Structure formats: structure tokens, C-alpha cells
Amino acid sequence: MSELQSKSTPLAHLKEKGKRKGTQQHFLLPYLREDFKDIAQMMRIWDKPRGHHNYTSIIKWEGNTYLLADRRRSPYLPPSRQVGPHPQLVVLRSAEGEDCNARCAQHAAPLLKCQAQDFDFLNDCSVLKAHFSCENGCGMETGDDIPNYVSRESDKHVGKCLVSEGTPTCSA
């Protein structure tokens, strides 16, 4: 891993056409979820991380091998390469149908604001179970309002905590 770390490749390097094409080398590519669509488009892979182990994937592209590691979620990156949650992150439960912006605005702490990038730290069953009963387990679904707990009785996922490989928004 130390050899790969010394060959860490920022996304901007990949955009330089032909710079590393066909060199049969291995490169570490730490990324943030919001950059993944650009990586996916360039490498012609699925636009959401798929087939990963602990948010780390091995991709062969243009004659090289890239280890793609999510800077927020991959446990294989050293702490200096990881991005953690905001130190003042506050997890709030909202009412059914209430978006995160509205919930944060109602909180007693001044200047509390929803930060979409912090959802990566909440998009985890163990984190959701710390805040909700999740009596029917956890499930993977898609939607702008996920991660969440389903409380509506008429919903087929009632009692489940839901996580997603998509990117949540504060206004959902």
C-alpha cells in the first residue's frame, strides 16, 4: 500500500489524456463521492460505486490498474488521506415528509445547516440503528430522501432503515 500511496493519482492527472496510458502500473485514486461520476464517465464504468469491498474497487483501465478508494468510507486509506465528518455534525430525526433543510432550520443550535456530503457518514445501517428502531432491518433502495427510516404504515418498507448508493440531497 505504501508504494501505491506514493503513486496517488488525483483526478486532474487522469484527465490529462494519454499521460499514463498503457504503462502497466498500479495507482491509488482516493475520491469523494461527488467526483465519482467524472471518474466513471472517464473510465466508462457505472456512475455509482459498484462491486466494491468497503468502498474500495480495483479497476483496470487504459493498461493500468487503479485502486479507487472512497475518502469518506474506505478503511484502507491512511488517516491523512481520509475525510471525516464535520466535527460539529449533529444527527437529527425529522418528521415524515420534512426535508433536512427544514429540520436543521428548526433546531435550537444557531447556524445549523444541512451539508449533503455528511450524508455519507449517515448512509450506514449501524448509524441508522443508533437513531431508529429499524425493527424490520435495513435495506438498499434508491431515492433522494435516503438514508431514512420508513414509518408510513402503507409503505412496503415500513419499519426498515434504508441506505442507498445514490447521492442524497438536503431538500428531499
Side-chain angles (χ1 to χ4, degrees), residues 40-149:
Q41 183 178 17
M42 198 175 342
M43 293 183 167
R44 293 188 169 100
I45 58 176
W46 193 264
D47 68 352
K48 294 172 181 62
R50 305 286 308 259
H52 60 80
H53 180 265
N54 287 330
Y55 302 91
T56 308
S57 304
I58 298 172
I59 305 292
K60 292 188 180 275
W61 178 65
E62 302 259 334
N64 295 309
T65 303
Y66 292 86
L67 184 67
L68 277 60
D70 185 317
R71 294 185 65 204
R72 292 186 185 106
R73 305 294 301 265
S74 176
Y76 305 121
L77 290 173
S80 63
R81 299 282 174 108
Q82 293 177 352
V83 173
H86 189 282
Q88 295 174 335
L89 173 66
V90 176
V91 180
L92 301 172
R93 294 171 54 152
S94 63
E96 181 181 326
E98 180 182 34
D99 74 36
C100 296
N101 285 326
R103 179 63 184 108
C104 286
Q106 292 174 1
H107 192 265
L111 305 175
L112 194 62
K113 183 178 179 200
C114 180
Q115 300 290 329
Q117 67 269 18
D118 283 332
F119 278 114
D120 275 341
F121 302 107
L122 307 177
N123 194 29
D124 183 281
C125 288
S126 62
V127 173
L128 291 174
K129 286 178 180 180
H131 298 278
F132 300 99
S133 61
C134 306
E135 64 272 16
N136 289 327
C138 222
M140 176 74 76
E141 287 293 328
T142 58
D144 291 341
D145 62 339
I146 297 171
N148 67 25
Y149 169 75

Side-chain angles (χ1 to χ4, degrees), residues 8-11 28-32 39 67-71 77 81:
S8 180
T9 306
L11 182 56
L28 172 64
L29 179 56
Y31 68 88
L32 295 172
I39 295 168
L67 184 67
L68 277 60
D70 185 317
R71 294 185 65 204
L77 290 173
R81 299 282 174 108

